[in-house]
Amino acid sequence: MIKRKHRVEEVEEDEADNGNRSMLVMSLLAIGIGILTGLGAGIFRALIALIYNIFYLGRFSFDYDANLLDPVSPWGPWIILSPIIGGIVAVWLVRNFAPEAKGHGVPEVMDAIFYKGGNIRGAVAVIKSLASAFSIGTGAAVGREGPIIQIGAALGSAFSRMLGLTTTQKITLLSAGAGAGIAATFNTPLGGVLFAVEILLPEISNRTFLPVVLACGAATYVGRLIFGVAPAFVVPDLTHAAISGVTIWDIGVIAALGGVCGIAAWAFVKGLAYMEDFFPTLPGGAYVQVVLGMSVIGLMMYGFTLATGHPYINGVGYGMIQSVLDGHMIGVQLLLLLFIAKLAATSISLGCGASGGVFSPLLFMGAALGGAIGVVANMFSPDAANPTVAAMIGMAAMVGAGTGGVMTAIVMIFEMTLDYSIMVPCILTVAIASGVRQALISDTVYTIKLRHRGHQIPQDRHANLFLVEQTKNIMETEFLVVEAGSRLIDILQNHANCTSVMPPVVVSRNSHIVGLVPPRSSLWPKPLTDPNLMVDELADLDVLLVQENDLLGRLFFRMKWHNKEAAIVVTGDGVPRVEDIRGIVTKRAIANTVIASSS
């Protein structure tokens, strides 16, 4: 028996010609997004300052220098309640207004690029700002760059949707807004560009690169008008020789620091993923979970304050980083303890429901590890190693290994310190750290969260934007389903009413998929010489099955690996049956997609 499947998918027609804007329009939009993102960064940091001053210092003020160590809070032991209150507010905002604002932001931006057609709701920018400001200002051990990235991305997406831009252009402006967020918050225009290129953009070309550059430049300019032109961290004049990376001793320090940071990045990726999976399993719901997690953060803050005079692990942690760079923190035991505490505190904060980024915690952990290794190395050879330099290199190594943005980390540390002398050892250390982390785990701190959702992000994704497409968007929805044992000549006679010239043929037995005959012109003359030819004899019995939301990058890899001409797109779990088939991906469908994406 022959069954004909013909499905019409409801696909958003946002690739229409009338949605395509010129490069001039895209450039102007990118500049506008960069300006708004820079202003948003200013408002966001002011909001953090206000909440910090109220909850930690008990005063109403917008004056806050994050590069100074926090003093002892006048609230005494009651400061333990501060992160709990902030966590409850953040969870309430996220759960009621924008669930996608939960967490550290970048995975959600990546998910929007690869699985949501570049769509982020405008409300995310507002809710992410409020939730993250309460989290950071009250003591959660998270950074402010993740929220700024998501805010900029939401602005880019909102503008694109208002103007009806194509998916390609939406993704470009979304990435431009995200890069602008990095540029504005750290005063690192090149770092913002490289972040968008390495972490977000599926394609590198003039049509994607230029808007990102313009947005990052505009955001940096606005950020400098608001925050000043000084770099993020001030590095004092070094009295000892820097690590040049050319002597045997230097290479030993670099190798040790790179290896340690690679293992540390692996530990952070695993620890954060564990906490994000662990807290939702606790009974009592989201509010009980955030109270439990933030109680631990509050106790850690108060414990460090009693022991050292500073809470250290709360907020962005720039005060601790600046102290290490100034050479004021040289205790190896304290530095190693702070590394462990920050890793645990950030994982717990994000796992239990706080909102904030992971970039600043990675900088914190890198400075602690680098400073500790620099102090130890300085004991053996004072003229060949410097704890300040080792701390800067450690910061780059942790960011590069943890996020996967290798060039981003190297360039950003230079822009944040304006110390070019560290470039060579920085490159070597970041390379080693990234290699070690990849050997231990392929996922970064950004992609592991998406993998747990079943959303794979292509590792080599810069070939073209068609890699963002999912199989359901390119599959052929007209195909034939025939019972095993059917004659090919009967199939051809029943094919007369099909609109496709040569549809794929699925061979079934008792509703089970047993084979696939891809569309091949060489099939059709065969019945003329052999009227009794069965379709089973022509079918590929080793069928490749893919899911509707599989990305084309993954599909291409599997088709090449299994040497297949076509794949059956199915839905649902378990062993798929004929009724689970949604379409067929063929080489001609792939060719059409590639051609369309390059136009």
Side-chain angles (χ1 to χ4, degrees):
M1 180 178 66
I2 299 175
K3 300 178 182 179
R4 181 174 291 113
K5 294 282 186 175
H6 191 115
R7 301 181 67 251
V8 180
E9 296 291 329
E10 296 294 333
V11 179
E12 181 183 1
E13 296 181 357
D14 59 359
E15 296 290 351
D17 291 338
N18 58 6
N20 224 328
R21 296 300 191 273
S22 68
M23 181 56 70
L24 175 61
V25 173
M26 288 291 291
S27 298
L28 293 175
L29 287 173
I31 293 172
I33 291 167
I35 292 172
L36 290 177
T37 302
L39 293 173
I43 296 171
F44 179 57
R45 285 172 63 166
L47 191 58
I48 293 174
L50 176 62
I51 294 172
Y52 168 83
N53 281 307
I54 292 174
F55 280 84
Y56 190 82
L57 298 179
R59 67 185 187 189
F60 188 92
S61 172
F62 290 96
D63 184 23
Y64 174 47
D65 187 348
N67 284 37
L68 299 177
L69 286 172
D70 299 306
V72 176
S73 172
W75 301 120
W78 293 105
I79 195 62
I80 296 172
L81 297 177
S82 175
I84 298 174
I85 296 171
I88 291 173
V89 172
V91 168
W92 180 79
L93 287 168
V94 169
R95 284 173 61 86
N96 287 280
F97 301 104
E100 60 268 48
K102 181 182 179 181
H104 48 103
V106 178
E108 285 67 32
V109 174
M110 297 173 75
D111 201 37
I113 290 173
F114 286 95
Y115 286 92
K116 297 179 181 177
N119 294 313
I120 299 178
R121 294 191 299 136
V124 172
V126 177
I127 300 304
K128 188 69 176 180
S129 300
L130 293 172
S132 298
F134 270 98
S135 294
I136 298 168
T138 57
V142 292
R144 63 192 180 200
E145 73 296 324
I148 290 291
I149 291 169
Q150 200 166 7
I151 291 167
L155 288 172
S157 179
F159 269 91
S160 301
R161 286 184 287 110
M162 284 172 53
L163 297 173
L165 301 186
T166 66
T167 298
T168 298
Q169 293 180 329
K170 274 193 292 185
I171 289 173
T172 299
L173 290 183
L174 181 153
S175 301
I182 283 282
T185 195
F186 285 120
N187 190 14
T188 56
L190 291 178
V193 171
L194 288 173
F195 177 85
V197 168
E198 280 194 292
I199 306 296
L200 301 178
L201 279 175
E203 173 194 315
I204 303 175
S205 64
N206 286 336
R207 65 174 178 173
T208 61
F209 190 72
L210 182 58
V212 170
V213 171
L214 291 172
C216 290
T220 304
Y221 185 77
V222 172
R224 288 178 177 178
L225 289 176
I226 298 173
F227 311 124
V229 298
F233 300 108
V234 178
V235 180
D237 293 333
L238 301 177
T239 56
H240 300 303
I243 302 174
S244 64
V246 297
T247 69
I248 296 298
W249 175 255
D250 290 341
I251 292 174
V253 173
I254 288 170
L257 183 53
V260 170
C261 287
I263 296 171
W266 164 80
F268 182 51
V269 171
K270 296 291 288 185
L272 178 58
Y274 175 80
M275 288 298 177
E276 288 180 331
D277 291 338
F278 168 73
F279 272 97
T281 65
L282 297 178
Y287 291 105
V288 172
Q289 293 160 14
V290 77
V291 168
L292 292 174
M294 289 295 103
S295 296
V296 175
I297 303 303
L299 290 170
M300 292 175 72
M301 288 171 55
Y302 186 59
F304 271 108
T305 301
L306 291 178
T308 67
H310 306 288
Y312 283 121
I313 57 97
N314 62 307
V316 295
Y318 294 164
M320 175 271 181
I321 296 173
Q322 188 63 60
S323 292
V324 174
L325 298 181
D326 288 339
H328 297 160
M329 293 184 64
I330 57 174
V332 175
Q333 294 89 344
L334 176 59
L335 289 171
L336 294 178
L337 178 61
L338 287 176
F339 161 75
I340 297 171
K342 190 69 171 183
L343 188 154
T346 302
S347 300
I348 292 171
S349 296
L350 291 171
C352 74
S355 180
V358 297
F359 207 100
S360 294
L362 285 167
L363 291 173
F364 183 108
M365 289 183 275
L369 281 179
I373 291 176
V375 170
V376 173
N378 197 238
M379 294 177 183
F380 293 94
S381 179
D383 294 329
N386 185 288
T388 296
V389 175
M392 289 189 285
I393 297 172
M395 292 160 64
M398 278 298 294
V399 170
T403 66
V406 174
M407 290 304 301
T408 301
I410 295 169
V411 172
M412 281 192 67
I413 295 304
F414 161 65
E415 289 187 296
M416 293 168 70
T417 62
L418 295 184
D419 190 340
Y420 188 76
S421 66
I422 66 170
M423 290 298 285
V424 171
C426 208
I427 290 170
L428 297 174
T429 308
V430 171
I432 294 171
S434 298
V436 170
R437 191 270 303 162
Q438 289 181 36
L440 296 173
I441 183 171
S442 61
D443 281 303
T444 68
V445 71
Y446 297 146
T447 61
I448 193 167
K449 183 176 182 180
L450 298 178
R451 184 169 64 82
H452 286 184
R453 296 180 189 170
H455 288 185
Q456 297 283 351
I457 302 298
Q459 297 295 319
D460 300 317
R461 61 184 184 278
H462 292 149
N464 205 298
L465 275 168
F466 67 76
L467 294 178
V468 179
E469 293 286 350
Q470 301 174 22
T471 55
K472 65 183 178 183
N473 295 331
I474 74 157
M475 64 187 181
E476 296 186 15
T477 56
E478 186 179 24
F479 55 93
L480 300 176
V481 177
V482 304
E483 197 69 15
S486 300
R487 296 193 309 165
L488 185 57
I489 192 169
D490 295 331
I491 297 172
L492 294 178
Q493 291 172 351
N494 284 274
H495 169 253
N497 295 328
C498 289
T499 59
S500 175
V501 176
M502 291 178 291
V505 178
V506 177
V507 182
S508 68
R509 181 178 292 110
N510 298 326
S511 294
H512 290 282
I513 302 168
V514 297
L516 173 65
V517 183
R520 293 195 300 265
S521 59
S522 60
L523 295 179
W524 312 112
K526 291 182 181 294
L528 299 178
T529 57
D530 186 2
N532 295 318
L533 181 65
M534 302 296 180
V535 71
D536 313 46
E537 300 176 42
L538 303 169
D540 182 357
L541 303 182
D542 184 18
V543 178
L544 176 61
L545 302 176
V546 297
Q547 291 291 319
E548 287 183 289
N549 63 347
D550 281 351
L551 296 177
L552 293 198
R554 176 174 172 79
L555 171 67
F556 292 173
F557 173 81
R558 293 188 63 197
M559 289 181 70
K560 180 179 179 181
W561 180 263
H562 295 284
N563 192 26
K564 299 298 181 184
E565 296 182 37
I568 300 178
V569 182
V570 297
T571 187
D573 299 321
V575 179
R577 300 168 67 88
V578 168
E579 56 265 28
D580 299 322
I581 300 175
R582 294 296 177 263
I584 311 293
V585 176
T586 63
K587 286 187 176 181
R588 66 185 177 191
I590 294 171
N592 290 336
T593 303
V594 174
I595 292 170
S597 70
S598 61
S599 59

